[in-house]
């Protein structure tokens, strides 16, 4: 067991309790595994002081690993994000310092696609609003025109981003006989063959789609990708769904579009300044709001934690982690 010796003094910081299986993966390779017992009580100061002398960090999408944090790291070799998105990490600063960064793709695709569909249907058919209506004892009589929603079956789905999750959402849309449009810098031929999806420019998609669903990562090219100009071309019956990252949508522009009835509704799992949700958004009946639970099944979350731990251990063992997002770093480490 060469690793026992190599890691004799390796220290790993984990910012939140993780499933036992993931913890065991870390412990099998690292002697000193520090798990912060309560993420909500991890102050910035404590976070910074804990990462200072760690060789590995296993963190959440809510841990801000910015330039300041990376400057504090004296021995860090790997930052294993327990998420597929890694916009919380300053990738360039990490690469410059020769620190590997990893994510957890694949293991949350289906859970997130399921939740996207839950939002599509619950927004289109006003399910949370109808539930509130009933609980408030307003259901006195069946009504021909009561709580009318938007149809989904046979309509047009516009996918902004056709990667793993976008593709999984498209496959489900086949069961709803939907016409599928997608916007993505890369052509996805497999998606086209399997679902009949058609690649179009963003404005065409926004003009033609009944349901617009966002599945791009957040970076400087996608921040505020959907703003006032984009809302202006949407159908008044359109529904916007976001299970990707909040800042891809200009939240102020969204509120304005909803106020002006530019669109019919929105289903959101993510927000521009999480966990803050603007009071105005909460005031709209036609908006469904979820607390970033796209990947929240026990199966997915366990697999994410295990994968993050495997990535971390691989890096500390001197192997290339399976989900390295900054492969340029390897040249630096050679
Ligand atoms: C969740 O938001 C993730 O990026 O995994």
């Amino acid at each position: 067991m060469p690793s026992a010796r190599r890691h004799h003094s390796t220290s790993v910081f984990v910012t939140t309790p993780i499933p036992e299986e993931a913890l065991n993966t870390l412990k099998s390779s690292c002697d000193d595994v520090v798990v912060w017992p309560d993420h909500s009580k991890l102050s910035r100061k404590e976070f910074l002081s804990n990462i200072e002398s760690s060789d590995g960090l296993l963190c959440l999408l809510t841990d801000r690993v910015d330039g300041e944090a990376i400057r504090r790291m004296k021995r860090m070799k790997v930052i294993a994000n327990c998420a597929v998105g890694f916009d919380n990490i300053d990738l360039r600063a990490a690469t410059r310092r020769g620190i590997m960064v990893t994510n957890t793709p694949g293991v949350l695709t289906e859970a997130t696609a399921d939740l996207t569909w839950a939002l599509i249907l619950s927004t289109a058919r006003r399910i949370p609003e109808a539930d509130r209506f009933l609980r408030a004892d307003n259901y006195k009589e069946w009504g021909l025109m009561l709580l009318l929603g938007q149809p989904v079956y046979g309509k047009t789905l516009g996918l902004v981003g056709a990667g793993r999750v976008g593709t999984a959402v498209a496959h489900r849309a086949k069961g709803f006989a939907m016409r599928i449009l997608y916007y993505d810098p890369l052509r996805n031929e497999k998606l086209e063959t399997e679902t009949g999806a058609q690649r179009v420019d963003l404005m065409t998609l926004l003009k033609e789609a009944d349901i617009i669903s966002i599945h791009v990562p957040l970076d400087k090219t996608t921040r505020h990708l959907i703003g006032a100009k984009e809302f202006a071309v949407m159908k008044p019956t359109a529904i916007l769904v976001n299970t990707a990252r909040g800042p891809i949508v200009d939240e102020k522009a969204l509120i304005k579009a909803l106020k002006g009835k530019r669109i019919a509704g929105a289903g959101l799992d993510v927000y521009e300044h999480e966990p803050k949700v603007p009071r105005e958004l909460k005031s709209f009946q036609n908006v469904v709001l979820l607390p970033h639970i796209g990947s929240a099944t026990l199966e997915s979350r366990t697999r994410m934690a295990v994968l993050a731990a495997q990535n971390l251990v691989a890096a500390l063992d001197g192997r290339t982690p399976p989900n390295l997002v900054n492969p340029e770093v390897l040249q630096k480490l050679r």
Side-chain angles (χ1 to χ4, degrees):
M1 266 270 291
S3 60
R5 195 164 192 216
R6 188 172 332 127
H7 296 315
H8 187 65
S9 60
T10 48
S11 152
V12 169
F13 182 57
V14 185
T15 65
T16 195
I18 52 175
E20 202 175 339
E21 195 186 339
L23 191 60
N24 289 341
T25 302
L26 292 178
K27 284 185 175 163
S28 70
S29 212
C30 323
D31 292 314
D32 185 22
V33 180
V34 177
V35 179
W36 195 260
D38 184 348
H39 192 267
S40 70
K41 293 200 174 72
L42 176 60
S43 69
R44 177 74 177 168
K45 204 165 153 237
E46 281 159 328
F47 172 68
L48 292 176
S49 97
N50 272 285
I51 59 178
E52 204 159 274
S53 55
S54 298
D55 304 275
L57 168 66
L58 196 155
C59 58
L60 301 181
L61 61 95
T62 46
D63 294 316
R64 190 158 44 86
V65 191
D66 56 5
E68 180 196 26
I70 286 167
R71 275 193 298 280
R72 286 283 286 271
M73 299 170 173
K74 296 208 174 70
R75 305 181 4 177
M76 195 65 76
K77 290 178 188 62
V78 55
I79 300 165
N81 214 33
C82 188
V84 68
F86 45 86
D87 49 283
N88 57 312
I89 301 171
D90 186 337
L91 200 61
R92 276 177 53 185
T95 307
R96 229 181 288 128
R97 291 281 313 275
I99 301 169
M100 292 187 240
V101 177
T102 68
N103 68 340
T104 62
V107 295
L108 48 80
T109 305
E110 304 305 340
T112 308
D114 285 350
L115 189 92
T116 302
W117 266 95
L119 270 179
I120 290 173
L121 291 171
S122 59
T123 309
R125 297 301 302 271
R126 303 169 61 182
I127 290 173
E129 185 187 352
D131 182 276
R132 287 190 293 267
F133 173 88
L134 183 145
R135 285 168 203 259
D137 285 333
N138 289 326
Y139 181 36
K140 308 289 185 204
E141 187 193 358
W142 186 88
L144 187 68
M145 305 307 268
L146 177 65
L147 284 161
L148 305 182
Q150 298 297 330
V152 175
Y153 188 87
K155 295 292 168 180
T156 298
L157 173 66
L159 298 168
V160 180
R164 282 175 292 260
V165 179
T167 297
V169 170
H171 279 120
R172 286 157 177 73
K174 291 269 289 171
F176 284 81
M178 294 182 93
R179 170 184 175 227
I180 302 165
L181 303 177
Y182 76 98
Y183 162 74
D184 197 291
L186 295 176
R187 186 165 173 206
N188 187 337
E189 279 183 60
K190 192 162 177 275
L191 174 72
E192 291 177 17
T193 317
E194 289 175 358
T195 67
Q198 196 190 337
R199 186 170 171 231
V200 293
D201 62 76
L202 183 59
M203 282 299 161
T204 304
L205 181 147
L206 299 173
K207 271 182 211 156
E208 295 191 17
D210 299 296
I211 310 282
I212 298 159
S213 191
I214 299 176
H215 304 287
V216 286
L218 172 63
D219 59 28
K220 50 182 192 312
T221 68
T222 60
R223 188 171 292 272
H224 283 196
L225 184 66
I226 307 298
K229 193 167 106 242
E230 287 69 30
F231 284 113
V233 300
M234 292 179 192
K235 294 182 181 179
T237 50
I239 280 167
L240 177 75
V241 170
N242 189 3
T243 54
R245 283 292 182 270
I248 297 162
V249 176
D250 177 346
E251 219 162 57
K252 284 206 176 84
L254 169 63
I255 291 168
K256 241 181 155 169
L258 288 162
K259 252 193 195 152
K261 304 207 182 326
R262 274 287 332 134
I263 59 173
L268 306 173
D269 189 38
V270 289
Y271 306 89
E272 200 165 347
H273 306 286
E274 257 172 70
K276 288 198 195 105
V277 178
R279 200 152 25 101
E280 268 179 306
L281 266 186
K282 292 185 207 161
S283 72
F284 297 117
Q285 288 293 330
N286 54 341
V287 175
V288 181
L289 303 165
L290 300 179
H292 201 150
I293 55 168
S295 63
T297 64
L298 181 60
E299 183 184 302
S300 272
R301 290 285 166 84
T302 303
R303 291 175 73 194
M304 286 163 72
V306 168
L307 191 52
Q310 287 169 343
N311 275 302
L312 191 147
V313 164
L316 293 187
D317 273 343
R319 290 179 279 122
T320 302
N323 310 112
L324 183 64
V325 296
N326 58 344
E328 321 84 82
V329 80
L330 295 175
Q331 271 138 30
K332 265 206 150 82
L333 296 173
R334 250 185 220 130

